[in-house]
Amino acid sequence: MNTDPSSPRESSNPRQRRWLDRPRLVLATLLATQCVMVAIPGAVLGAAEGTPLAASDKKPLMRDFMGINFHTFTVPDSTPYAQVCHLARDYHPYAWDIQGDTSVDPPFPLTRQGIRDGKQVDWTQIYGGWRKAGFTHIDASITAFDWVRDHEGFKDQARDIERYGNQFASFFGPSGAHPLVDSVEVENEPGGWPVKDYVELFKSLSAGVRAGDPKMKIATCCVSAMPDFDKTWEKPVQMLEGLEASYDVINMHTYSFKAGWPSFERANPEAPGIGYLKTVDAMIAYRKQRAEMAGKEIWITEFGYDAATPEALKNAPEKRWIPSTDLQQAQWLVRSYLVFSEMDVTRAYLYFFDDPDGNSFHGASGITRKGVPKPSFFAVRHLFSALGDYRFRKLVSHESEGLYAYEYVSDKGEVAWAAWSATSGKPDAARVLSGIPRKPQRIETLAVADGKPAAVVWTPSGKNAISVPLGESPIFIFFGPGG
């Protein structure tokens, strides 16, 4: 594949804008390491009682909450990842569809540009393959508008983008001829667009999508409500005041940086003092204060952790890049899903599906490494299988750098708890969980390898309490139906 930085193929790399000015993992590297996916078999702490959600405030089932980031044809086989979640997000390059002339209709279902070995890509094969594998929802982040602007130019930007949105939605939308895509994002991280220019892009694409298929959800680009938002990657949500009818979803990215950019080291998701959850809380508060935003869903479309091998780290060009261990990646991805599920968030998509064991930022974020599952694959798969039919109901315990415990309930009335130590690098210890609804049917610890999850041995500890070994890998406690 052409790796010329001026090529629209290169600009389509989903993390390109974070790699342009630092050591990067280009799409060509990802493609060069393609391989066939392997076959995968299938002290006393009181628990503060929470308030169950009213029926109208029910959270989504975990199977409708957990998502993963893909990138077009670089996913050789999506089937194994359907064991992990059923929501897929794609970085869909506008440049591929309209190469050469923005005023000419894209040749859907094909790209106009010869992307793979000089041949056009068929979107119905890509998205249809993901559907066939078991993915129930596909979100397309339409990106690379800036590449077209800067390298080919628009014949009539507003008209061309609106027409494209109309055609994309009418072809791929829920009511379209090929109902494969449920939602679109108006760009990913449009760092190259001044706010005023992005708003004009947003108006054009959202208008086209609305006209093409009103059932297709429209999401913003990556936005923030924080006063100190990162202007390189995020846009201020305030820019869309007055345009609330034009979108359905507030789109956010959040990463648990220990000290903020440009530090590459990340912390556990619950770590005090970092912006990981604060930025989400700020958006929830911003939305709550504005009646015109009522009903807008918040999606976290990127979160994740790098985890590389020691061999990759030996030649890392950036010494500030300190990745997580494989075990930390597994624990922190699962704990992120859990803490997000307690917040007023509708979906969360982990970044990324696969990596080539890269030695730079975002170069080792996959839950598989060169197609081989990491511990994080098995951990997220376990969460999905264990709690997929459950939804968050109430907070049981939320101790800073201590016990976290949440209650989940299925539509059949089955009750489960997830519990863990919200720490990093601390040993497991016996803990007492009080206020349990009844005797556990079973308790299992987070799986980080293939096979049946290990059972946790527990002992009674007084009325409505049990003692369990608890650590940084969550345990899942199943109580069965009854309240």
Side-chain angles (χ1 to χ4, degrees), residues 15 61 80 84 93 129 215 238 260 285 290 302 305 325 390 401 415 460 473 477:
R15 305 307 315 159
L61 294 172
V84 166
K215 291 184 178 180
Q238 293 85 353
R290 290 158 178 79
E302 284 190 21
Y305 301 89
T325 66
Y390 292 74
E401 299 185 272
V415 177
S473 288
I477 309 169

Side-chain angles (χ1 to χ4, degrees), residues 226-444:
M226 299 287 281
D228 58 345
F229 71 95
D230 190 325
K231 295 179 176 61
T232 305
W233 317 120
E234 300 171 315
K235 289 285 183 277
V237 68
Q238 293 85 353
M239 70 182 175
L240 298 177
E241 290 181 1
L243 297 175
E244 289 79 13
S246 298
Y247 66 94
D248 311 289
V249 176
I250 302 163
N251 177 8
M252 302 188 68
H253 298 172
T254 189
Y255 289 92
S256 63
F257 298 122
K258 270 192 173 181
W261 189 265
S263 169
F264 301 130
E265 188 175 4
R266 301 176 214 186
N268 58 294
E270 317 87 354
I274 65 173
Y276 190 48
L277 304 180
K278 289 180 180 178
T279 185
V280 182
D281 283 332
M283 186 64 75
I284 293 170
Y286 180 86
R287 181 188 59 180
K288 187 175 182 180
Q289 294 166 2
R290 290 158 178 79
E292 61 273 18
M293 295 181 73
K296 305 297 182 190
E297 298 179 356
I298 294 176
W299 294 1
I300 298 170
T301 57
E302 284 190 21
F303 73 96
Y305 301 89
D306 281 318
T309 64
E311 290 74 18
L313 295 177
K314 288 178 182 177
N315 299 312
E318 175 55 76
K319 298 308 177 185
R320 292 175 303 173
W321 182 66
I322 304 175
S324 311
T325 66
D326 278 354
L327 178 59
Q328 286 174 329
Q329 184 193 38
Q331 293 169 333
W332 295 354
L333 283 174
V334 168
R335 284 157 53 179
S336 291
Y337 273 127
L338 293 172
V339 295
F340 291 150
S341 75
E342 183 268 336
M343 306 173 83
D344 196 0
V345 172
T346 304
R347 296 186 188 178
Y349 294 79
L350 70 83
Y351 184 87
F352 196 42
F353 77 100
D354 186 53
D355 68 60
D357 197 22
N359 61 3
S360 60
F361 188 49
H362 281 308
S365 290
I367 59 171
T368 58
R369 179 182 291 130
K370 300 179 182 179
V372 179
K374 295 181 182 179
S376 56
F377 178 96
F378 300 112
V380 178
R381 185 180 71 173
H382 184 197
L383 172 65
F384 185 65
S385 63
L387 295 184
D389 291 333
Y390 292 74
R391 64 181 87 241
F392 175 87
R393 181 161 71 171
K394 67 179 182 181
L395 185 154
V396 176
S397 179
H398 229 224
E399 296 185 351
S400 179
E401 299 185 272
L403 173 66
Y404 269 47
Y406 296 160
E407 182 169 288
Y408 295 81
V409 62
S410 75
D411 290 344
K412 297 178 181 178
E414 299 163 316
V415 177
W417 282 16
W420 68 97
S421 177
T423 56
S424 177
K426 299 292 180 67
D428 294 2
R431 303 278 186 152
V432 171
L433 301 178
S434 61
I436 64 171
R438 58 195 150 274
K439 178 181 176 180
Q441 291 183 337
R442 74 181 191 282
I443 305 179
E444 53 195 38

Side-chain angles (χ1 to χ4, degrees), residues 9-24:
R9 302 178 194 176
E10 168 67 10
S11 72
S12 70
N13 188 305
R15 305 307 315 159
Q16 173 221 337
R17 291 172 180 79
R18 287 187 175 169
W19 296 335
L20 278 177
D21 301 317
R22 55 186 63 90
R24 57 182 174 163

